[in-house]
Amino acid sequence: MTDSTFTPRVFSGIKPSGGLTLGNYLGAIKRWVDMQDGETETIYCAVDLHAITVWQDPTGLKAGTREIAAGMLASGIDPEKSILFNQSQVPEHTQLAWIFNCVARLGWMNRMTQFKDKAGKNAEKASLGLYAYPSLMAADILLYHATHVPVGEDQKQHVELTRDIANKFNNDFGVDFFPVTEPVIEGPGTRVMNLRDGTKKMSKSGESDMERINMLDDADTIAKKFKKAKTDPDGIPETLDGLNGRPEAKNLVDIYSGLADMTAEAVVAEYAGAGWGKFKPALAELAVAKLAPISDEMKRLMDDPAEIDRKLARGAERAREIATPILEKTYDIVGLLR
Ligand code: AQP
């Protein structure tokens, strides 16, 4: 089956496992804002249950969840147009995840590269939750019959697993109940890389703060981080091909392109032949111009945590209106007596 029989609906989430980064903004939130202005219903979530798959300080987790919500609101997610909530306020996510734990196969989970990356050599000591993460992510998406999931490149494999789970559930029970969701991975910010190593992605929980731009960084910090970002002796090439095999240089051009809403070709054309001494300050100036209004608004919103909590609770109520009947029907299909 295809998703064509389902009303288009968008779902996506961010886990509060640290402060929001430029990667989260360009790879996710900025594109979510654009999507909420169409006809399609949009549902966005701070996925706090995913965050606890690795240790989180409880006070920090609450603050981080509010920061994610503030980041989404400050970037332009409108809680009247979109449904905005935190995952743990909608218990149907974990209820559906259990059903999917019984549908997904161990062999599928064993192929997940994110688990291998995060568990590293110490996989025996990783939590069971970290291993089962993609099954909960499938539940997040399919609980709303979401047909489209805008994500960064790093989440593509998990969305493919979601498709496998939907297909297997539908085949096992002889139904056309879950849509086969499409990942939406487009635009220049789908893979923002670490500023100190262009072969690794920029992450909230990366070891050094110098490797990422946080949404709450001030102008001086942003300028310092770009100034110290790893590059190579060659500056901006004449054409895009000149960035091949130069991950750090390509990353800075891609970041500029994502922030300026320009193609990478246009960025290279504008700065062709420029050295880093010219390009990096221009990038820092652009980043501050785009991010400062967002971080100012985030700080303002975070000064009133009760209002953020109220918005999240209201969003959770609206989310449950969609989720409850879908979970009930799932239980019925599976044969769970109500
Ligand atoms: N570097 C990135 N470039 C583009 N997109 C990114 N995303 C994250 N990092 C980048 C996108 O942001 C959304 C939310 O991701 P997440 O926070 O739920 O999970 P993650 O991808 O594991 O993020 P981090 O920052 O790497 O968190 P930690 O360090 O805690 O594991 C997703 O759409 C993701 O693609």
Side-chain angles (χ1 to χ4, degrees), residues 146-176:
T147 53
H148 296 85
V149 184
V151 280
E153 187 70 42
D154 59 313
Q155 291 295 336
K156 187 172 176 211
Q157 195 185 33
H158 289 164
V159 182
E160 278 161 5
L161 187 107
T162 300
R163 294 164 62 87
D164 290 341
I165 289 177
N167 274 323
K168 184 161 172 15
F169 182 98
N170 289 340
N171 286 337
D172 286 355
F173 294 100
V175 291
D176 268 359

Side-chain angles (χ1 to χ4, degrees), residues 15 17 23-24 118 151-152 154 189-190 192 201-205:
K15 63 182 190 307
S17 48
N24 298 132
K118 288 203 187 293
V151 280
D154 59 313
T190 54
V192 178
K201 79 163 186 153
M202 183 182 286
S203 273
K204 297 184 212 84
S205 58

Side-chain angles (χ1 to χ4, degrees), residues 188-209:
T190 54
R191 198 157 170 73
V192 178
M193 308 308 282
N194 179 320
L195 297 179
R196 306 314 291 265
D197 177 351
T199 63
K200 292 188 188 153
K201 79 163 186 153
M202 183 182 286
S203 273
K204 297 184 212 84
S205 58
E207 264 165 44
S208 159
D209 196 54

Side-chain angles (χ1 to χ4, degrees), residues 142-286:
L142 295 175
L143 185 58
Y144 301 97
H145 279 185
T147 53
H148 296 85
V149 184
V151 280
E153 187 70 42
D154 59 313
Q155 291 295 336
K156 187 172 176 211
Q157 195 185 33
H158 289 164
V159 182
E160 278 161 5
L161 187 107
T162 300
R163 294 164 62 87
D164 290 341
I165 289 177
N167 274 323
K168 184 161 172 15
F169 182 98
N170 289 340
N171 286 337
D172 286 355
F173 294 100
V175 291
D176 268 359
F177 186 61
F178 287 115
V180 181
T181 308
E182 293 289 337
V184 184
I185 303 172
E186 52 196 33
T190 54
R191 198 157 170 73
V192 178
M193 308 308 282
N194 179 320
L195 297 179
R196 306 314 291 265
D197 177 351
T199 63
K200 292 188 188 153
K201 79 163 186 153
M202 183 182 286
S203 273
K204 297 184 212 84
S205 58
E207 264 165 44
S208 159
D209 196 54
M210 290 302 286
E211 67 191 42
R212 61 181 164 266
I213 303 287
N214 303 301
M215 294 302 286
L216 288 174
D217 281 344
D218 61 26
D220 288 348
T221 308
I222 291 175
K224 187 169 89 186
K225 286 180 176 176
F226 279 127
K227 190 171 176 201
K228 291 201 179 287
K230 186 176 167 196
T231 41
D232 53 33
D234 304 329
I236 304 294
E238 300 291 326
T239 65
L240 220 47
D241 289 352
L243 292 173
N244 289 344
R246 301 172 60 200
E248 287 84 13
K250 180 173 182 316
N251 187 37
L252 295 187
V253 169
D254 283 345
I255 291 174
Y256 193 107
S257 142
L259 286 168
D261 282 321
M262 285 164 76
T263 62
E265 285 91 338
V267 177
V268 165
E270 188 173 328
Y271 286 94
W276 296 113
K278 179 173 176 194
F279 187 77
K280 283 180 168 181
L283 175 58
E285 195 181 322
L286 171 67

Side-chain angles (χ1 to χ4, degrees), residues 259-317:
L259 286 168
D261 282 321
M262 285 164 76
T263 62
E265 285 91 338
V267 177
V268 165
E270 188 173 328
Y271 286 94
W276 296 113
K278 179 173 176 194
F279 187 77
K280 283 180 168 181
L283 175 58
E285 195 181 322
L286 171 67
V288 170
K290 296 285 178 179
L291 302 184
I294 298 175
S295 67
D296 288 349
E297 177 62 4
M298 279 177 77
K299 286 178 203 146
R300 193 190 67 76
L301 291 165
M302 285 158 66
D303 273 346
D304 188 355
E307 176 59 14
I308 295 180
D309 294 0
R310 201 191 57 75
K311 286 196 164 80
L312 291 174
R314 171 70 193 123
E317 269 173 33

